[in-house]
Amino acid sequence: MSDAGGSDYVVAVDLGGTLTKVAHADADGTVSGVVRLPTQLVDGQASVSWLASVLDDAVAARPAGTCAGFGVVVPGIIDVPRGVVRAAPNVGWYDVPLRLQLSQLTGRTGTVAHDVRSGGLAEWRIGAGVGARNLLFLPLGTGIAGAMVVDGRLVDADGYAGEIGHIAVPAAGDAVCLCGQRGCLETVASAVGVVRTHARLAGTVLDAREVAELARAGDPAARQAFDVAVAALVEALTTYATLLGPETVVIGGGLAGAFDLLGPPVTSGLDARMAFQRRPRLVPARLGADAGVIGAGLVAWDLIREDVGP
Amino acid sequence: MSDAGGSDYVVAVDLGGTLTKVAHADADGTVSGVVRLPTQLVDGQASVSWLASVLDDAVAARPAGTCAGFGVVVPGIIDVPRGVVRAAPNVGWYDVPLRLQLSQLTGRTGTVAHDVRSGGLAEWRIGAGVGARNLLFLPLGTGIAGAMVVDGRLVDADGYAGEIGHIAVPAAGDAVCLCGQRGCLETVASAVGVVRTHARLAGTVLDAREVAELARAGDPAARQAFDVAVAALVEALTTYATLLGPETVVIGGGLAGAFDLLGPPVTSGLDARMAFQRRPRLVPARLGADAGVIGAGLVAWDLIREDVGP
């Protein structure tokens, strides 16, 4: 997996509903040898024993250095202090004591954390958000969740924080969301949302990158799909800024590649719409699709450092 | 003002647009001898020298004990670390270095903080929200602002946090808000908002307490005014819970007296509306209209304790 030198490392894993990323992560946040694997689901549940073998394989693949532990990030409601996955519908886990089970299976200590909050930690600490004390990391991918930095701390709210993809915005109309609510931001402003709006208007299903290309070329259906996403993001970010006054919003996920189509019009829209609120600076993410696995490594190293002192 | 004993105290002041409250505050949060004064405005600005004389008078009125400093809370955008009032439209102050000016005029040290956040601190520490790690203090008064406790900390966002009264909710329609935006929560769910909705429907202006009495008696216009407020609160609290997952929402301000008309229907509305979000427990505030002045004392004592060590 990696031919890095003899330094200590952690095995960092970003577990997704279809794809799992594995890497060796150094203490400074550098990851090496990122490997992508199909997530092994058994009866709709991600397999804990498979995940343990993935960790073991990553250790075996490292020619030198000592494994200091594992960092696994998962989408869902995660009880980080206890290392328990409370609810992760994408991987079929409910009340799974994942940290304990992985420790028993691998004989190693580690951390279990939330994928988007860990990605936000990475963008905040070594990516596009360095220096901000109040920041929103907003990956626009299959869905939308946010990682929130407030007063210089990444907030958690017992795992409930940051579900900005599920606040209702008028621009989303009555669209039914996978979560069961209506008018959620992610129905129109995620990568899948843009694809869906375009497909409804154009009658053909293209991927988000293709819709963005068409929008740049002036295609009306593609432009409208982005216009709806922009309107929804202006509404959601106005609400966010009213509550939490971020200095910086880092746009990540698949639509970060369409930042040229989103950043400037959302910024103008916020300017026109806001009153007393602090205007956030919108920037594209720097760490790309690896933010989650980089963050998994950072979270694991944070625990190790705390364990051994400063 | 008070006939309390010889213990140290701070002078706590809650400065409002029309009314200013002054009290002696002990280190445990107890306030005594609360006095209400009309706020002295000169050319639309609260007078700093008048406020300094209020502090001096409060010290002179205390027969025993030593004044350890002052705690002043103000509505607006407050830079607490610097003690500067950035923008306080209700009292006409913009970029006023209030802590420095009061220290120069009175020869005492102290703190300048935000009225609602300080009131929230009081409800959290010694009022209805004791023990919560994630809490929203939501006073429904002339307007609406929130104090937000997230992961066990009262958050500030450089003074921008918690302006939940100015998030847009469909139930408020297109109502123009004093802030310049439309559809803000406070246009329909503040005490003034309920009065206004009722007046529009009934053609007579009653105060919020009278509208609540009529609603309890089944009066249709009064009931509808509360129904609109309830719908708006359900929308706003769903958004808040989606972002910040509070365990507890403390309803304060003038409408806390109508908690019987708000708490149960808002709780049912949240139950019906939410999906994965954590359901907050709604409770009425315990400290009443004195939360701000009690909080002013707590903030001042926090600084004094920090100065002299644990």
Side-chain angles (χ1 to χ4, degrees):
Chain A
M1 178 184 278
S2 158
D3 56 1
S7 59
D8 286 359
Y9 65 92
V10 298
V11 178
V13 177
D14 181 0
L15 182 81
T18 53
L19 190 72
T20 292
K21 288 177 214 157
V22 190
H24 298 131
D26 295 339
D28 66 357
T30 311
V31 297
S32 53
V34 179
V35 168
R36 289 168 178 76
L37 305 167
T39 299
Q40 190 171 112
L41 298 172
V42 178
D43 296 333
Q45 292 186 19
S47 161
V48 176
S49 57
W50 166 78
L51 184 56
S53 73
V54 166
L55 296 176
D56 287 338
D57 291 350
V59 174
R62 174 94 169 196
T66 302
C67 177
F70 61 82
V72 174
V73 299
V74 180
I77 310 272
I78 317 297
D79 181 339
V80 175
R82 291 188 179 75
V84 174
V85 177
R86 290 287 172 220
N90 292 357
V91 294
W93 281 341
Y94 296 88
D95 290 318
V96 173
L98 186 62
R99 188 180 62 196
L100 176 67
Q101 292 180 348
L102 289 176
S103 290
Q104 288 171 337
L105 289 166
T106 65
R108 301 177 191 283
T109 60
T111 54
V112 170
H114 184 254
D115 60 346
V116 172
R117 273 193 286 285
S118 302
L121 176 69
E123 287 287 353
W124 180 40
R125 199 177 285 171
I126 61 172
V130 170
R133 279 180 49 81
N134 292 278
L135 172 144
L136 172 65
F137 172 54
L138 188 65
L140 310 174
T142 308
I144 299 178
M148 302 158 55
V149 174
V150 181
D151 289 352
R153 288 168 184 269
L154 186 72
V155 304
D156 181 79
D158 303 323
Y160 290 94
E163 295 289 352
I164 189 170
H166 299 284
I167 68 172
V169 290
D174 242 11
V176 176
C177 184
L178 290 175
C179 77
Q181 299 178 103
R182 286 173 176 274
C184 291
L185 174 67
E186 76 171 38
T187 62
V188 294
S190 62
V192 168
V194 167
V195 164
R196 200 186 297 122
T197 307
H198 172 265
R200 187 170 46 75
L201 295 168
T204 53
V205 179
L206 304 178
D207 70 23
R209 192 185 307 249
E210 292 165 331
V211 177
E213 276 305 322
L214 283 178
R216 289 185 192 104
D219 175 81
R223 290 205 67 86
Q224 199 178 331
F226 274 93
D227 286 349
V228 172
V230 164
L233 287 167
V234 168
E235 291 164 349
L237 290 176
T238 298
T239 293
Y240 188 89
T242 305
L243 290 174
L244 287 159
E247 306 147 77
T248 304
V249 174
V250 178
I251 304 291
L255 287 188
F259 187 81
D260 58 316
L261 298 171
L262 294 171
V266 170
T267 299
S268 312
L270 292 175
D271 262 344
R273 164 98 183 229
M274 285 182 172
F276 58 88
Q277 296 96 331
R278 176 156 61 178
R279 264 74 173 164
R281 185 176 60 103
L282 266 66
V283 294
R286 273 205 208 131
L287 304 177
D290 288 342
V293 76
I294 294 170
L298 292 174
V299 172
W301 275 110
D302 281 356
L303 181 78
I304 291 164
R305 287 205 190 84
E306 205 170 273
D307 275 356
V308 300
Chain B
M1 176 184 277
S2 157
D3 57 1
S7 59
D8 286 359
Y9 65 92
V10 298
V11 178
V13 177
D14 180 1
L15 182 80
T18 54
L19 191 72
T20 293
K21 288 177 214 156
V22 190
H24 298 130
D26 294 339
D28 66 356
T30 311
V31 297
S32 53
V34 180
V35 168
R36 290 169 179 75
L37 306 167
T39 300
Q40 189 171 112
L41 299 172
V42 179
D43 298 333
Q45 293 186 19
S47 162
V48 176
S49 57
W50 166 78
L51 183 56
S53 73
V54 167
L55 296 176
D56 287 338
D57 290 351
V59 174
R62 174 94 169 196
T66 303
C67 176
F70 62 83
V72 174
V73 300
V74 181
I77 310 273
I78 317 297
D79 181 340
V80 175
R82 293 187 179 76
V84 174
V85 177
R86 291 286 172 219
N90 292 357
V91 295
W93 282 342
Y94 296 88
D95 290 317
V96 172
L98 186 62
R99 186 180 62 197
L100 177 67
Q101 292 179 349
L102 289 176
S103 290
Q104 288 171 337
L105 289 166
T106 66
R108 300 177 191 282
T109 59
T111 53
V112 170
H114 184 254
D115 60 347
V116 172
R117 272 192 287 284
S118 302
L121 176 70
E123 287 287 353
W124 180 40
R125 199 177 286 171
I126 61 172
V130 170
R133 279 181 48 81
N134 292 278
L135 172 144
L136 173 65
F137 172 55
L138 187 65
L140 309 174
T142 308
I144 299 177
M148 302 158 55
V149 174
V150 182
D151 288 351
R153 287 167 185 271
L154 186 72
V155 304
D156 180 79
D158 303 323
Y160 290 94
E163 294 290 352
I164 189 171
H166 300 284
I167 69 173
V169 290
D174 241 11
V176 175
C177 182
L178 290 175
C179 78
Q181 300 177 102
R182 285 172 177 274
C184 291
L185 174 67
E186 77 170 38
T187 63
V188 296
S190 63
V192 168
V194 167
V195 164
R196 200 186 297 123
T197 306
H198 172 264
R200 185 170 47 74
L201 295 168
T204 53
V205 179
L206 304 178
D207 69 24
R209 191 184 307 247
E210 292 165 331
V211 177
E213 277 305 321
L214 283 179
R216 289 185 192 104
D219 176 82
R223 289 204 69 86
Q224 198 179 330
F226 274 93
D227 287 348
V228 172
V230 165
L233 287 168
V234 168
E235 291 163 347
L237 290 176
T238 298
T239 293
Y240 188 89
T242 305
L243 290 174
L244 287 159
E247 306 147 78
T248 305
V249 174
V250 178
I251 303 292
L255 287 188
F259 187 82
D260 57 317
L261 297 170
L262 294 171
V266 170
T267 298
S268 314
L270 293 175
D271 262 344
R273 163 96 182 230
M274 284 182 172
F276 58 87
Q277 296 96 331
R278 175 155 64 178
R279 264 74 172 163
R281 185 177 60 104
L282 266 65
V283 294
R286 274 204 208 130
L287 305 177
D290 288 341
V293 77
I294 295 170
L298 292 174
V299 172
W301 275 110
D302 281 355
L303 181 77
I304 290 164
R305 287 204 191 87
E306 206 170 273
D307 275 357
V308 301

